Amino acid sequence: MSKQKKVNYNNSCLTPIYQNAAYFFENTEQAIQYHKNEVKLSRYGRYDNPNWIEVENQIAALDNYEEALLFPSGMNAIVTTISTFAQQNDRLVYTGKCYRNIKKFFDLVLPKWGIRTKAINPSNSKAITEIYRDNPKIVFVEMPSNPHLYLIDLARIKSEISPDTLLIVDSTLSTPYNFQPQKFGADLTIHSCSKYMGGHGDILAGSVAGSQNLIGEIRNYRNIMGGICDPHCAFLLKRSLDTLPIRMKHFNEAGMKIAQYLQNHPQVKKVFYTGLESHPHYAIAQKYLTGHGGVITFEIDGNLATTSQFVEALQVPFMGTNFGSNQAMVEQCGVFTYYHLSAKDRKEREISDSLVRLSIGYEDSNLIIDDLAQAFRAISDWDKSP
Ligand SMILES: *Cc1c(COP(=O)(O)O)cnc(C)c1O
């Protein structure tokens, strides 16, 4: 087939999906101008794509940094970012109560590359002081943490680490709407866009935002390692980011209402929600968060079997492990995400038998509250049955 004339019909309100691998140049002169950075053109689909660039600009603005990059998943954003900056014999310190695959990457993969990693407990201020003694290359903070929504005094860490230490924050559980790590000294902010940012349970993607310099280095690694976002996925993420504020407003309002309902319920032992004074990091939350989202973790007054019964009695949420989408989801943490951990590890991570993580969707909060109420009734009837 010969070179065909391109039709330029582009007054669509939405950026069309550029589902292409290659970009052409008009002539040799233009190609040379491209190499000298004198014209803004693309060359190949692993380096850039108009759909990504649109979303990357939007995320940079949301996170309040100069630039951002998209990745095919949150994990890939983390792996590419850490690989860019960590080298043999470096030390990395991270908040240990974090997303399980982040922990696996730090505990199982990085040591193979000669990088020493150490988990710290965000609730233990002595452990935090230890960070500085190790003089790590990277401090990685997941905040709020999964599933207990633990927080850490980020500004304090920033003020005490060496200026050469990179402070990286995964704030997937808050989104830029509820938390701005950049304002408290984070050098890079990462999101799994598969959760609230995507918001519809239909994509996997990740992002990292930071200064032009740092993002430039990560971009070089992405070009090499090839962790890129599919253009259709970027298109869907753009649609989602346009509605992020209105969606987060719903999650914050409904989440608070449901957390309060659970806190007042006699069959609930403990609620982990940063909007409640009972959360161990409520004071930190007041400083860092402007909202508390739609993930509510709680312990019911019951054993392993009663808790399973409770989760199975729920009619509204799917049983599964996601959050921040239109589908409400629920999991009994110990037999779901943390099933393969030893009893000792589960205890260390505070995953008790009766721990439940509820992630609400866009339904009316009363629908969830009524559902929780009937599930509590079901287990109390069950307890009474012979
Ligand atoms: C889900 C999640 C990730 C991983 O993101 P994927 O898009 O699933 O790869 C990382 N960090 C946190 C806090 C998460 O919840």
Side-chain angles (χ1 to χ4, degrees), residues 97 121 148 150 299 334 338 341-353 355:
K97 293 195 164 68
N121 176 353
H148 298 94
Y150 285 144
E299 274 174 358
Y338 302 90
L341 290 194
S342 66
K344 179 176 162 281
D345 285 350
R346 234 178 275 142
K347 187 154 194 274
E348 191 184 290
R349 304 206 55 188
E350 297 175 52
I351 307 297
S352 65
D353 288 348
L355 193 72

Side-chain angles (χ1 to χ4, degrees), residues 73-75 78 99 102 142 146 170 172-173 192 194-195 205 323:
S73 66
M75 276 315 300
I78 292 166
Y99 182 70
I102 298 178
E142 181 179 305
N146 196 356
D170 175 342
T172 300
L173 273 124
S192 163
S194 321
K195 318 287 172 53
F323 62 86

Side-chain angles (χ1 to χ4, degrees), residues 49-64:
N49 170 283
N51 298 100
W52 307 347
I53 291 171
E54 183 176 46
V55 175
E56 288 171 347
N57 289 339
Q58 211 169 353
I59 291 176
L62 282 167
D63 278 332
N64 210 5

Side-chain angles (χ1 to χ4, degrees), residues 25 102 105 124 169 179 245 301 306 361:
F25 296 94
I102 298 178
F105 175 56
N124 178 348
V169 177
F179 175 36
D301 190 5
T306 332

Side-chain angles (χ1 to χ4, degrees), residues 189-205:
T189 294
I190 291 181
H191 303 290
S192 163
C193 300
S194 321
K195 318 287 172 53
Y196 290 120
M197 299 282 261
H200 297 74
D202 54 7
I203 57 166
L204 271 90

Side-chain angles (χ1 to χ4, degrees), residues 269-280:
K269 270 204 307 220
K270 208 167 183 180
V271 183
F272 294 91
Y273 191 73
T274 47
L276 298 179
E277 280 181 42
S278 59
H279 191 282

Side-chain angles (χ1 to χ4, degrees), residues 13 20 27 42 97 104 229 239 268 289 305-306 325 340-341 347 377:
C13 293
N20 55 308
N27 48 45
S42 299
K97 293 195 164 68
K104 279 190 182 170
C229 185
R239 160 215 61 177
V268 174
L289 307 180
T306 332
S325 80
H340 291 288
L341 290 194
K347 187 154 194 274
R377 281 195 300 273

